[in-house]
Each structure stands twice: as structure tokens, then as C-alpha cells.
Amino acid sequence: MIRTGASALALLIAGAAGAEAQLDELRVGLVAHDVVDHAEDGPQVSVEALFSSPDFLARVWSPRPYLYGSFSTQGYTNLVAAGLAWDGHLTERLRIEGSLGISYNDGVSDVVDLPPGDPYRIRIAETRALLGSDWLFRSQVGADYMMTERWAVGAYYEHFSHGQILGNGRNQALDEFGVRLGYHFGG
């Protein structure tokens, strides 16, 4: 199921960016998962590919298209996302970034189909984030420090939620903090 969502997102971003976009940056990270509710404690491993901004996005401050994945090391919710990332320099080496996108997850939507006293329902409700939808919005803010011309380290916060738009009813959402190492391919 996660492969189908990842494939759909990859096709969406590739079609939107067209042949203009080149791989601009690759990041790997370690993410503290579900830091607000703690239903799904445990680290995630993240991978993100950012592409150069295609010319048609110049009207909206030239964001970079991205593909993102956050994968559970504990058997909990995995997420893949695609969207746009805007960044700006505070200093020559310090960069800030904000991004918006859509994600697909293999987590638990809800447990309403199970009887209230069912032991499985009780265990799932206590140990899993009940997200209300397979599709969630992803918003992220972060900062990166350029150690060299090519290598950067950074930290970020991200929020996944359907906002009662991509789903209805249950919306426990996920909040995550991460650290990342990035490699810039451009000059």
C-alpha cells in the first residue's frame, strides 16, 4: 500500500516539475516520531530529495519540489510526501526553510469498526496514532547550517494532518522533530 502511494506521489511531482527540475539536494535524517501524543514513540529514518525550481514556479518565489519519506524503526506509521519547499538565507551559511505538501501513510485511520470492548481495539487505540485518513497534509519548518559549499546539517519540525479536508472525523495528527544531513549537488 505504501508503495502505491509513493509511486503516485513520485509521478505527481515528476509531472509537475517536468524535465526542467534537476536533483539539487539529498538529505537523510533521524526523526523523533509523534512527539505530542506519544502514541507511536520511537525514531523514524527520513530521506528527502529536493529538485531545482522549475521556471514556471518563479511567480510563487521559486520553491523547490521535493519527495520525502519517513520510515518507522518500530513498526509504526510510515509516510511518503511530495510538495514544495521555500528557503531563504539568514546569513551566508544559515538557511531557513518552510514547505507544504501532501503525504500518504500506512498508519491506522480509526478503530470505530471494532466493538468498544474488543481487546485489539483497546490496544490499537493506546499504541497507534489514529490519523483519520491515508492522505494527510505535510507542513514543515527548518533551519540548515552550511558546513561547506556542499554539506549542511539542520533541524526541522513537521506536522501531518488531514485538517478535516482530506478526511473527516478522527484527526489525531503527527508532530515530529528531526535532524538531518544534506548534500547539495549544485554549484
Side-chain angles (χ1 to χ4, degrees):
M1 193 96 157
I2 196 86
R3 286 188 212 130
T4 303
S7 298
L9 288 170
L11 288 173
L12 175 72
I13 198 76
E20 289 183 59
Q22 301 285 327
L23 182 61
D24 187 42
E25 183 179 359
L26 189 60
R27 298 172 176 162
V28 295
L30 189 60
V31 182
H33 182 64
D34 197 15
V35 296
V36 173
D37 292 327
H38 300 288
E40 294 188 1
D41 283 330
Q44 303 268 107
V45 174
S46 68
V47 178
E48 186 171 22
L50 292 105
F51 301 88
S52 59
S53 185
D55 290 341
F56 74 88
L57 291 175
R59 295 178 197 206
V60 290
W61 305 284
S62 300
R64 295 186 296 169
Y66 73 81
L67 292 173
Y68 175 83
S70 181
F71 306 100
S72 178
T73 62
Q74 305 295 310
Y76 294 128
T77 302
N78 299 295
L79 303 120
V80 293
L84 299 173
W86 290 262
D87 62 5
H89 292 271
L90 292 178
T91 69
E92 188 176 312
R93 292 186 177 261
L94 185 60
R95 199 177 67 193
I96 58 170
E97 178 181 275
S99 67
L100 296 171
I102 189 165
S103 70
Y104 180 82
N105 72 83
D106 64 356
V108 178
S109 293
D110 209 337
V111 291
V112 295
D113 294 340
L114 299 172
D118 184 284
Y120 178 74
R121 176 186 175 150
I122 294 167
R123 184 174 60 79
I124 293 297
E126 291 174 353
T127 62
R128 297 298 300 268
L130 304 177
L131 301 173
S133 176
D134 292 338
W135 295 93
L136 305 171
F137 294 110
R138 176 185 184 249
S139 56
Q140 180 260 137
V141 294
D144 293 285
Y145 181 78
M146 298 299 298
M147 299 182 303
T148 70
E149 185 177 307
R150 301 250 186 236
W151 291 97
V153 294
Y156 64 99
Y157 162 80
E158 62 189 347
H159 178 76
F160 293 91
S161 172
H162 65 68
Q164 302 299 332
I165 296 169
L166 297 175
N168 56 35
R170 185 75 70 162
N171 185 18
Q172 216 166 345
L174 290 170
D175 293 280
E176 303 186 334
F177 286 105
V179 292
R180 61 191 177 201
L181 177 66
Y183 180 80
H184 293 258
F185 293 94

